Amino acid sequence: MTKLAVRLSVALRSHWQEIKEHSSKDRGDISITTIIIWVAAVAGAIAIAGTIGIVVSKYNSKLSGI
Protein backbone atom coordinates (compact mmCIF):
# COMPACT_ATOMS: atom_id res chain seq x y z
CA MET A 1 0.00 0.00 0.00
CA THR A 2 2.82 2.42 0.77
CA LYS A 3 4.44 1.71 -2.60
CA LEU A 4 1.21 2.73 -4.28
CA ALA A 5 1.07 5.91 -2.23
CA VAL A 6 4.67 6.76 -3.10
CA ARG A 7 4.05 6.14 -6.81
CA LEU A 8 0.91 8.25 -6.70
CA SER A 9 2.74 11.04 -4.90
CA VAL A 10 5.57 11.02 -7.44
CA ALA A 11 3.13 10.98 -10.34
CA LEU A 12 1.11 13.85 -8.92
CA ARG A 13 4.22 15.89 -8.19
CA SER A 14 5.54 15.43 -11.73
CA HIS A 15 2.13 16.26 -13.21
CA TRP A 16 1.97 19.40 -11.05
CA GLN A 17 5.39 20.47 -12.34
CA GLU A 18 4.21 20.04 -15.92
CA ILE A 19 1.12 22.14 -15.21
CA LYS A 20 3.21 24.90 -13.62
CA GLU A 21 5.62 24.96 -16.57
CA HIS A 22 2.79 25.06 -19.08
CA SER A 23 0.91 27.79 -17.22
CA SER A 24 3.97 30.01 -17.01
CA LYS A 25 4.30 29.87 -20.80
CA ASP A 26 0.62 30.73 -21.38
CA ARG A 27 0.36 33.65 -18.99
CA GLY A 28 -0.94 36.90 -20.41
CA ASP A 29 -2.48 35.35 -23.51
CA ILE A 30 -6.19 36.15 -23.47
CA SER A 31 -7.88 35.27 -26.71
CA ILE A 32 -10.50 37.46 -28.30
CA THR A 33 -12.99 34.61 -27.95
CA THR A 34 -12.60 34.68 -24.17
CA ILE A 35 -13.20 38.42 -24.11
CA ILE A 36 -16.31 38.07 -26.28
CA ILE A 37 -17.69 35.35 -24.00
CA TRP A 38 -17.08 37.45 -20.86
CA VAL A 39 -18.68 40.55 -22.39
CA ALA A 40 -21.70 38.52 -23.51
CA ALA A 41 -22.04 36.94 -20.07
CA VAL A 42 -21.91 40.30 -18.29
CA ALA A 43 -24.33 41.87 -20.76
CA GLY A 44 -26.71 38.93 -20.33
CA ALA A 45 -26.55 39.21 -16.55
CA ILE A 46 -27.27 42.94 -16.70
CA ALA A 47 -30.19 42.34 -19.07
CA ILE A 48 -31.66 39.66 -16.81
CA ALA A 49 -31.25 41.82 -13.70
CA GLY A 50 -32.83 44.77 -15.50
CA THR A 51 -35.78 42.69 -16.65
CA ILE A 52 -36.34 41.34 -13.14
CA GLY A 53 -36.17 44.90 -11.78
CA ILE A 54 -38.72 46.15 -14.30
CA VAL A 55 -41.11 43.27 -13.62
CA VAL A 56 -40.82 43.67 -9.85
CA SER A 57 -41.40 47.43 -10.02
CA LYS A 58 -44.38 46.95 -12.35
CA TYR A 59 -46.09 44.31 -10.25
CA ASN A 60 -44.88 45.49 -6.83
CA SER A 61 -48.36 46.35 -5.60
CA LYS A 62 -49.74 42.97 -6.64
CA LEU A 63 -46.81 41.13 -5.05
CA SER A 64 -47.22 42.83 -1.68
CA GLY A 65 -50.32 40.76 -0.86
CA ILE A 66 -48.51 37.44 -1.17
Side-chain angles (χ1 to χ4, degrees):
M1 187 68 171
T2 59
K3 288 182 181 181
L4 178 62
V6 170
R7 286 183 189 167
L8 182 60
S9 174
V10 169
L12 287 174
R13 193 172 297 138
S14 104
H15 186 64
W16 181 247
Q17 281 300 114
E18 289 177 16
I19 289 173
K20 283 176 34 178
E21 290 172 7
H22 182 71
S23 68
S24 68
K25 293 176 186 174
D26 289 342
R27 238 171 238 187
D29 248 358
I30 298 177
S31 68
I32 190 69
T33 307
T34 304
I35 295 171
I36 291 170
I37 290 169
W38 274 104
V39 168
V42 170
I46 290 172
I48 290 170
T51 303
I52 290 172
I54 291 170
V55 169
V56 167
S57 67
K58 184 175 179 182
Y59 294 106
N60 195 21
S61 62
K62 293 180 183 179
L63 293 173
S64 62
I66 294 177

mmCIF file of all heavy atoms in Angstrom, residues 26-27 40 50 55:
data_model
loop_
_atom_site.group_PDB
_atom_site.id
_atom_site.type_symbol
_atom_site.label_atom_id
_atom_site.label_comp_id
_atom_site.label_asym_id
_atom_site.label_seq_id
_atom_site.Cartn_x
_atom_site.Cartn_y
_atom_site.Cartn_z
ATOM 1 N N ASP A 26 1.876 30.220 -20.840
ATOM 2 C CA ASP A 26 0.620 30.730 -21.378
ATOM 3 C C ASP A 26 0.149 32.022 -20.723
ATOM 4 O O ASP A 26 -0.864 32.563 -21.107
ATOM 5 C CB ASP A 26 -0.488 29.681 -21.219
ATOM 6 C CG ASP A 26 -0.284 28.507 -22.156
ATOM 7 O OD1 ASP A 26 0.478 28.663 -23.114
ATOM 8 O OD2 ASP A 26 -0.885 27.454 -21.921
ATOM 9 N N ARG A 27 0.833 32.494 -19.730
ATOM 10 C CA ARG A 27 0.356 33.654 -18.989
ATOM 11 C C ARG A 27 0.282 34.897 -19.862
ATOM 12 O O ARG A 27 1.157 35.176 -20.651
ATOM 13 C CB ARG A 27 1.282 33.933 -17.827
ATOM 14 C CG ARG A 27 0.499 33.902 -16.550
ATOM 15 C CD ARG A 27 1.362 33.955 -15.404
ATOM 16 N NE ARG A 27 1.023 32.739 -14.675
ATOM 17 C CZ ARG A 27 1.464 32.447 -13.513
ATOM 18 N NH1 ARG A 27 2.316 33.223 -12.935
ATOM 19 N NH2 ARG A 27 1.087 31.361 -12.907
ATOM 20 N N ALA A 40 -20.334 39.029 -23.294
ATOM 21 C CA ALA A 40 -21.696 38.524 -23.506
ATOM 22 C C ALA A 40 -22.314 38.057 -22.192
ATOM 23 O O ALA A 40 -23.506 38.297 -21.943
ATOM 24 C CB ALA A 40 -21.682 37.386 -24.521
ATOM 25 N N GLY A 50 -31.961 43.653 -15.123
ATOM 26 C CA GLY A 50 -32.828 44.774 -15.496
ATOM 27 C C GLY A 50 -34.257 44.332 -15.734
ATOM 28 O O GLY A 50 -35.214 45.000 -15.311
ATOM 29 N N VAL A 55 -39.936 44.067 -13.953
ATOM 30 C CA VAL A 55 -41.113 43.266 -13.616
ATOM 31 C C VAL A 55 -41.499 43.464 -12.148
ATOM 32 O O VAL A 55 -42.688 43.613 -11.831
ATOM 33 C CB VAL A 55 -40.853 41.767 -13.920
ATOM 34 C CG1 VAL A 55 -41.931 40.880 -13.338
ATOM 35 C CG2 VAL A 55 -40.740 41.555 -15.420
#
